[in-house]
Amino acid sequence: VSEMHPFALEFISTFAECEDVLAELSSNIHAFGWMGSPIPKYLARKKMLLGLMGNPKIAEWARQQIASIDEALERENQRSGLESIGIYY
């Protein structure tokens, strides 16, 4: 999903100051299954979150989520590099 549903945008804006809600949303954003490389999934989630940066109520939360996705992308890029030389873990 590279765009957030309008209901989700409204929901996040409404509960932007409720840490419990944002924590649950964070968990859902970072939880998914995949086959093959998860990099395309991470990039789609990052694109979705970048679209939230214009909303001052949730920009900081979105920035934190993007940072977490960037870390995951870095790990996956390192893993891909190791797998390309025959090292699997």
Side-chain angles (χ1 to χ4, degrees), residues 10-82:
E10 184 64 30
F11 182 84
I12 291 171
S13 292
T14 300
F15 294 100
E17 296 178 20
C18 183
E19 291 297 319
D20 291 341
V21 171
L22 294 179
E24 290 298 324
L25 290 170
S26 296
S27 294
N28 285 318
I29 285 173
H30 299 287
F32 56 87
W34 70 90
M35 291 181 67
S37 174
I39 291 174
K41 281 277 203 190
Y42 285 124
L43 292 174
R45 301 284 167 101
K46 182 176 179 176
K47 181 180 176 185
M48 176 187 64
L49 289 162
L50 286 169
L52 301 178
M53 296 298 292
N55 183 331
K57 291 173 84 175
I58 55 176
E60 180 56 32
W61 174 80
R63 231 184 319 279
Q64 292 169 359
Q65 303 313 304
I66 291 167
S68 180
I69 287 173
D70 284 342
E71 290 172 9
L73 284 166
E74 180 61 31
R75 282 191 308 273
E76 290 304 322
N77 283 324
Q78 289 174 356
R79 182 187 328 250
S80 294
L82 291 173

Side-chain angles (χ1 to χ4, degrees), residues 2-13:
S2 60
E3 287 187 24
M4 196 166 278
H5 191 278
F7 175 80
L9 288 172
E10 184 64 30
F11 182 84
I12 291 171
S13 292

